[in-house]
Amino acid sequence: MVAIAERMATVKHKILVLSGKGGVGKSTFSAQLAFALAARDFQVGLLDIDICGPSIPKMLGLEGQEIHQSNLGWSPVYVESNLGVMSIGFMLPHPDEAVIWRGPRKNGLIKQFLKDVYWGELDFLIVDAPPGTSDEHISIVQCLDAANVDGAIIVTTPQQVSLIDVKKEVNFCKKVGVKVLGVVENMSGLSQPISNLKFMKITDNGEMKDVTEWISEYMKEKAPEMLNLIACSEVFDSSGGGALKMCNEMAVPFLGKVPLDPQLCKAAEEGRSCFADKDCVVSAPALQKIIDKLMETSGLSMTESNGV
Amino acid sequence: MENGDIPEDANEHCPGPQSDSAGKSDACEGCPNQQICATAPKGPDPDMVAIAERMATVKHKILVLSGKGGVGKSTFSAQLAFALAARDFQVGLLDIDICGPSIPKMLGLEGQEIHQSNLGWSPVYVESNLGVMSIGFMLPHPDEAVIWRGPRKNGLIKQFLKDVYWGELDFLIVDAPPGTSDEHISIVQCLDAANVDGAIIVTTPQQVSLIDVKKEVNFCKKVGVKVLGVVENMSGLSQPISNLKFMKITDNGEMKDVTEWISEYMKEKAPEMLNLIACSEVFDSSGGGALKMCNEMAVPFLGKVPLDPQLCKAAEEGRSCFADKDCVVSAPALQKIIDKLMETSGLSMTESNGV
């Protein structure tokens, strides 16, 4: 714990990224948050403690990289000079091999990450957790206890099953004394240019026939005004009030919504920043607004960048 | 193995956790498991015997796994349970996701409690031939986080298997949490004597999901569980064009809702469009998706389920999609997958016991 406190002394802000439920886009959000902060000239570290399902290497375009040791400790893998990443993903000889570890062994590795990784001077350390409230979460909070975690961002989707799990996550934070910096509602509706859609017709015998090309011509001829529109689908019913309502009920900040954007998914899979991608028309602005709001409400905007 | 499986983090020359010298031999010095090995009881676990007895009246045990979270595993488990019950089988659904138990909601059983009888714990019945067990029923406050470390979760899983009275079942579906950790190791160990038929793995087309599925397949191979097949969920979004909203990006970059206007416009200018289904890929499957991965790993591909807002709705309201006329795209896809599952696993030989 002493060693951990020493390592963390050169880290100004520590932010946990949590979710109650899996698959809500937590790692995608962590990665894009890291990109955004690095683009604002902060020194950023991204620590992936999802031992069983480490997505972070892929999302930063770092698959196949290895960890090097120096006399100062383990070296993070650098995407850019001011954005370093650490994940068990870098330690697996065969990426398809399952990491079948029970809790104590996972805790041991998390401790080691915190103890042995040499981050240097960081403005932000983002810790990407696995979903849920179990060993990894208890461990990271205990280990960082002396080091003053700024707080946690909780990612969710609008579905009721996600919101149920977010409430548990908020209660976990309250129980262990971690401040909830805010909640992000991800996959908040699907928005894309109408030209990206395919169209199917259900024939008389119940089969689906692809009529996309025909419709494209048809629209050009009969309904040209439709060609430039954005088609939106709610996908996950938010008539329950979604994350905003839950935030009001639980008195935690609501940071904003990110739409389900196939271009963001693509950027994430290819390890790219959505902010540098002109195709992420709907998601990049939404994410920037959320990050601006986060900096504001958490008093983090007071942090001056150290530059590169 | 007579002396128990050698743990991965054990010292060299480990005598085996079940051996008489476990924890006490020279080779054990400094091993992280030393304390546990020295003090744990040896010999057959009486709990395992009890579990085997309970499982003796269960014909088929199917695990539903996923490498990654949020791929629709619980939704699939619930709909699979509904489908099998509709075919007159006796079905049990066991939810071992201790931290995030979704199953009660998906079967419309929120707020229900567990009752005990002299035979054991009673599952909560959706219908007379569909019984459900989940930690969700045991939580006094559904918003309260279950912050348990591994050993406590394992204890509860064992208890579920030991104390729940299922009676005669054709199928026990076990809905696991995502990943490959305590819960998964425990359920496989506990059911080891009871002959698990196999596991269905649910994924989405995204590459990050497929990476985790490969790990899940390798987990199954490692622990000797047969992979009955892989389901690719959220395989494209399909919905009637009338369910879409339309936005126009104005000159100053704002989004303006023009849905009503477009609705009239279509009726007037392009009426042929009104009955169409609009499809979006959402998650890029240019990598080949789950089908390609199944071919590479030599496991059966069971089929694709589209992302259907009506299915999401049915799931949230605890209803069967097969009984819902709005689940136009998802219900047929799921039926085909279940048919294929029954076929490829030889489960179609099972005759229903009737109700």
Side-chain angles (χ1 to χ4, degrees):
Chain A
M1 290 295 170
V2 175
I4 292 174
E6 272 175 26
R7 289 285 191 195
M8 291 294 115
T10 53
V11 178
K12 286 209 185 106
H13 299 288
K14 297 123 199 137
I15 300 177
L16 301 183
V17 182
L18 307 173
S19 73
K21 187 152 184 53
V24 297
K26 183 176 28 59
S27 296
T28 304
F29 180 81
S30 299
Q32 297 300 323
L33 175 62
F35 276 127
L37 293 171
R40 297 180 195 204
D41 282 337
F42 289 113
Q43 288 290 124
V44 183
L46 179 55
L47 174 61
D48 178 8
I49 59 169
D50 191 340
I51 313 274
C52 294
S55 310
I56 291 292
K58 185 164 185 62
M59 295 196 168
L60 277 291
L62 299 173
E63 277 184 306
Q65 295 281 338
E66 284 176 5
I67 298 171
H68 301 284
Q69 296 216 27
S70 72
N71 56 326
L72 296 163
W74 294 1
S75 228
V77 179
Y78 286 89
V79 179
E80 290 147 43
S81 56
N82 65 330
L83 175 47
V85 182
M86 180 55 63
S87 164
I88 192 184
F90 299 133
M91 298 161 66
L92 298 174
H94 303 287
D96 296 347
E97 208 172 283
V99 179
I100 316 170
W101 291 2
R102 287 197 182 276
R105 202 166 166 198
K106 293 196 274 188
N107 300 337
L109 183 64
I110 291 171
K111 243 185 179 174
Q112 211 169 3
F113 274 158
L114 292 170
K115 213 169 51 110
D116 293 342
V117 173
Y118 174 65
W119 295 102
E121 300 269 344
L122 282 185
D123 295 302
F124 292 97
L125 177 64
I126 301 164
V127 182
D128 187 41
T133 50
S134 186
D135 288 277
E136 296 91 327
H137 310 86
I138 301 171
S139 293
I140 197 79
V141 170
Q142 282 177 346
C143 288
L144 292 180
D145 197 33
N148 250 351
V149 172
D150 287 66
I153 298 171
I154 304 177
V155 182
T156 183
T157 56
Q159 299 153 292
Q160 289 183 46
V161 280
S162 294
L163 296 177
I164 289 174
D165 287 347
V166 171
K167 289 184 192 177
K168 292 184 201 237
E169 206 70 20
V170 172
N171 284 327
F172 167 80
C173 289
K174 286 182 176 171
K175 201 161 184 175
V176 298
V178 169
K179 180 178 168 194
V180 177
L181 300 174
V183 175
V184 175
E185 185 183 278
N186 204 7
M187 306 202 198
S188 205
L190 173 62
S191 293
Q192 41 178 182
I194 210 172
S195 47
N196 284 14
L197 294 178
K198 278 194 162 133
F199 294 96
M200 305 289 216
K201 190 180 162 124
I202 303 182
T203 62
D204 295 328
N205 57 357
E207 291 283 304
M208 295 267 265
K209 183 179 158 196
D210 188 334
V211 295
T212 310
E213 273 195 55
W214 182 84
I215 281 294
S216 184
E217 291 308 311
Y218 186 84
M219 273 199 289
K220 281 182 195 152
E221 195 185 314
K222 306 259 182 185
E225 302 245 13
M226 287 189 74
L227 292 169
N228 295 327
L229 295 180
I230 307 280
C232 303
S233 170
E234 206 179 38
V235 186
F236 300 119
D237 177 52
S238 60
S239 58
L244 175 57
K245 180 163 177 258
M246 185 217 64
C247 286
N248 291 338
E249 286 170 359
M250 300 200 83
V252 292
F254 177 65
L255 293 177
K257 302 182 182 190
V258 186
L260 188 51
D261 181 356
Q263 293 307 322
L264 174 60
C265 299
K266 201 156 186 276
E269 300 223 310
E270 292 167 11
R272 295 181 286 108
S273 166
C274 71
F275 308 104
D277 182 350
K278 58 173 178 52
D279 288 328
C280 292
V281 175
V282 281
S283 51
L287 279 165
Q288 285 288 15
K289 276 174 76 173
I290 285 170
I291 294 167
D292 287 338
K293 189 160 186 197
L294 169 70
M295 303 289 273
E296 221 181 272
T297 57
S298 320
L300 294 169
S301 53
M302 304 292 279
T303 306
E304 277 171 21
S305 73
N306 283 326
V308 176
Chain B
M1 273 201 185
E2 261 182 44
N3 290 329
D5 291 316
I6 310 283
E8 275 187 51
D9 54 349
N11 286 354
E12 230 181 312
H13 307 302
C14 167
Q18 292 296 316
S19 108
D20 288 331
S21 59
K24 302 184 184 116
S25 87
D26 289 335
C28 298
E29 273 306 306
C31 173
N33 304 307
Q34 185 182 21
Q35 186 74 3
I36 299 168
C37 287
T39 50
K42 312 291 182 300
D45 185 343
D47 285 346
M48 294 298 175
V49 176
I51 291 172
E53 271 174 24
R54 290 284 191 193
M55 292 294 116
T57 53
V58 177
K59 285 209 186 104
H60 300 288
K61 298 120 198 141
I62 300 177
L63 300 182
V64 182
L65 306 174
S66 73
K68 187 150 185 53
V71 297
K73 183 177 28 59
S74 296
T75 304
F76 180 81
S77 299
Q79 297 299 326
L80 175 62
F82 276 129
L84 293 171
R87 296 178 194 205
D88 282 338
F89 290 113
Q90 289 290 125
V91 183
L93 178 55
L94 175 61
D95 177 9
I96 60 168
D97 190 340
I98 312 277
C99 295
S102 310
I103 291 293
K105 184 162 186 63
M106 294 195 168
L107 276 289
L109 298 173
E110 278 185 305
Q112 295 281 340
E113 285 176 3
I114 298 172
H115 301 284
Q116 297 217 26
S117 72
N118 56 327
L119 295 163
W121 295 0
S122 229
V124 179
Y125 285 90
V126 179
E127 290 146 45
S128 56
N129 65 331
L130 174 46
V132 181
M133 180 54 64
S134 165
I135 192 184
F137 299 133
M138 298 161 67
L139 299 174
H141 303 287
D143 296 346
E144 208 172 283
V146 179
I147 316 171
W148 292 2
R149 286 199 183 274
R152 200 166 166 200
K153 292 196 277 188
N154 301 337
L156 183 65
I157 291 171
K158 244 188 184 175
Q159 211 169 4
F160 274 159
L161 292 170
K162 213 172 47 112
D163 293 340
V164 174
Y165 174 65
W166 296 100
E168 301 269 343
L169 283 185
D170 295 303
F171 292 97
L172 177 64
I173 301 164
V174 182
D175 186 41
T180 51
S181 188
D182 289 276
E183 296 91 328
H184 310 86
I185 301 171
S186 293
I187 196 80
V188 169
Q189 281 177 346
C190 289
L191 291 179
D192 196 36
N195 250 353
V196 173
D197 288 66
I200 298 171
I201 304 177
V202 181
T203 182
T204 56
Q206 300 153 290
Q207 288 183 47
V208 281
S209 295
L210 295 177
I211 288 173
D212 288 346
V213 170
K214 288 184 194 177
K215 291 182 202 242
E216 206 70 20
V217 172
N218 283 327
F219 167 81
C220 289
K221 286 181 177 171
K222 201 163 185 172
V223 299
V225 170
K226 181 179 170 191
V227 177
L228 299 174
V230 174
V231 173
E232 185 182 278
N233 203 8
M234 306 201 195
S235 205
L237 174 63
S238 293
Q239 41 178 180
I241 211 173
S242 47
N243 285 13
L244 294 178
K245 282 195 162 133
F246 294 95
M247 305 289 215
K248 188 176 161 125
I249 303 183
T250 62
D251 294 327
N252 57 355
E254 293 281 304
M255 295 267 265
K256 183 178 156 195
D257 188 335
V258 295
T259 309
E260 273 195 53
W261 183 84
I262 282 293
S263 184
E264 291 307 312
Y265 186 83
M266 273 200 288
K267 281 183 195 150
E268 196 186 311
K269 307 260 184 186
E272 301 244 15
M273 288 190 74
L274 292 168
N275 295 328
L276 296 180
I277 307 281
C279 302
S280 169
E281 205 178 40
V282 186
F283 300 119
D284 177 53
S285 60
S286 57
L291 174 55
K292 180 163 175 256
M293 184 215 64
C294 286
N295 291 338
E296 286 170 357
M297 301 200 82
V299 292
F301 179 64
L302 292 177
K304 302 182 182 190
V305 186
L307 187 52
D308 181 356
Q310 293 307 322
L311 173 60
C312 299
K313 200 158 188 277
E316 301 224 309
E317 294 168 10
R319 295 180 288 107
S320 165
C321 72
F322 308 106
D324 182 349
K325 56 172 182 50
D326 288 327
C327 291
V328 175
V329 281
S330 50
L334 278 164
Q335 284 289 16
K336 274 173 75 174
I337 286 171
I338 294 166
D339 288 339
K340 189 160 186 195
L341 169 71
M342 304 288 273
E343 222 180 270
T344 56
S345 319
L347 294 168
S348 53
M349 304 292 277
T350 305
E351 277 170 21
S352 73
N353 283 327
V355 173

